[in-house]
Amino acid sequence: MTGRTLKSAFAVSVVLCIGMASTLGYILWQHSDFAVMKTDAGTVVARGPEAQPETVNTRGPASSAKTDEPVLSPIQLSPQRMQEIGVTTTVAEMKDMNDELQAPGSVAIDEQRLSYVQTRFPGWIKSVFANATYQYVKKGQKLFTIYSPDLVSTEQEYLLAKKNQVAVSEHMHGTPAEEGNWLLQAAAERLRRYDIPEAEIEQLEKGGTASHEIGVESPASGYIIERNAMPNAYVQPETKLYTIADLSTVWIYANVPQADVGRLKPGDLGRVSVDAYPGRQFNGRIDQILPDVDATTRTVRVRLVMSNPGILLKPGMYVNVDIAAPLGRQLVIPASGMLQSGTRQIAFLDKGQGSLEPREIETGARLGDSVVVLKGLKAGDRIVSSASFLLDSEAQLQSSMSGYLPQQQNASPQQSTEQMHIDFSTDPNPPHKGSNKLHLKLTGADGKPIVSVQPSVTFFMPAMPAMGMAAEHAVAMLTDKGNGDYQGTVQLDSGGTWQVTVTVLRGTNTVAAKQLSISATGGM
């Protein structure tokens, strides 16, 4: 290949690379997250893809897609204003608290008070005296009689050993007499291993004849909950003939949500109420928190041991369980003193002289009319215990005013305040959703009209997260009509209660301001 050919190939490659680079650059520029836009003034401004045109009447900040919580500012209220909105205060204090948990439950048999009746020898049941399920029997009461060839044989061995012992002891001494005693003791021990009562053995000695039927007694007092003893039935030692339950004490199983079970421990007090006995309560304690969670209901079974006088609590009954979980000393405030503002919890700290500071707090369990405070307050802090919602609106209003008022250029650090009477009204009165006319009459302390000022009116409605509504605001600049009269119009996007601030500027200084609440008609 000649040098001329190589140069031509190289030039073509360079041109192709430049073309590909240009195409790639154009594609990247078209898909860039920040497109270059030219303003009317000819300047170039970089805007994000979510930038929205700025407008006056809109919900929330106009030039931001951010959904941060509203900023709350300290509030300064006059005693008259605090009385109007019903502000009351209380003190955060440390108290010994108990958390009352309520859960459904059921009554169950105390498994530690179950007794079983079995024989230690095979045989045929003859007579049955405890012949019904849920029949009550006492300890030592005869349940049935049984005939057992093995038992009869052992009784005869005992009687024979007894007779031999008497004969040997009368005629012989030493080793033969000791062997006679040993044989008698061995026969008696076999009877005891058959669980024959001592009274039966004594009766055997006195009667001198083996009994073909022996009675079996109840080992405990209680109710028969299972019965397999039938007349003429053949039974083996492994046959369970009766199950007897002592119901003087029962278990209560409470189904506690897994989120609450961490507050409980064995020994905590519990109260049980039953619809069958209105006004009556049964007291007990937690015996065990079972190590198992129901996969369907996400609850944990908590077992309480409870006395059952009169057997009023029947196994299988549904009950209502109240458990008192001691929480120790906790910092608490009235629940009415905590405001849920979006995702935050707010309390208003009373600084005195009408100064109220919104304070973000972290709360724990709600106990009746009180709530536990984990962070944000300390014992002795005085907080607002009522009208928190209205104070939240005031705080958002004062925090938002600086962003919604007209821009003040070169404002002096010290703003003067003039004695001025502000008479504000709307047309229609009250205002409604949509366009409204505003009228403002400014007069001085001497009754003369105020001229050459720049008044503005700001309407603000705080956010209502519970209803899914963002904050709303609207600003109107009023025009001087002469003789202290100023007029303008405002567009309200919804009805409801608006916080209205009238601001009067003279040059760059705020010389007067007035705040009031106005209810507009027309719906949200």
Side-chain angles (χ1 to χ4, degrees), residues 439-492:
H439 301 277
L440 188 64
K441 180 70 174 180
L442 301 179
T443 55
D446 54 2
K448 294 181 180 181
I450 301 295
V451 297
S452 301
V453 293
Q454 300 86 44
S456 63
V457 181
T458 301
F459 287 74
F460 176 70
M461 183 180 292
M464 290 181 279
M467 300 177 62
M469 296 180 61
E472 297 185 51
H473 72 281
V475 179
M477 306 299 297
L478 304 190
T479 304
D480 188 353
K481 298 299 182 180
N483 199 30
D485 292 327
Y486 298 84
Q487 296 180 10
T489 59
V490 70
Q491 181 77 20
L492 300 182

Side-chain angles (χ1 to χ4, degrees), residues 315-394:
M317 253 185 182
Y318 286 106
V319 297
N320 303 309
V321 184
D322 294 326
I323 303 175
L327 299 180
R329 291 186 64 78
Q330 300 286 343
L331 180 65
V332 296
I333 62 173
S336 59
M338 185 270 293
L339 175 70
Q340 188 71 42
S341 178
T343 59
R344 299 178 301 177
Q345 296 164 323
I346 305 294
F348 287 90
L349 198 62
D350 184 5
K351 294 290 190 177
Q353 304 299 321
S355 177
L356 304 175
E357 176 190 337
R359 180 78 60 83
E360 187 170 349
I361 62 175
E362 181 180 337
T363 61
R366 179 164 179 168
L367 310 174
D369 295 332
S370 301
V371 63
V372 175
V373 178
L374 304 178
K375 292 181 182 179
L377 294 176
K378 63 181 184 298
D381 284 345
R382 181 167 291 277
I383 65 163
V384 173
S385 58
S386 64
S388 296
F389 178 76
L390 296 176
L391 293 179
D392 180 51
S393 301
E394 293 275 359

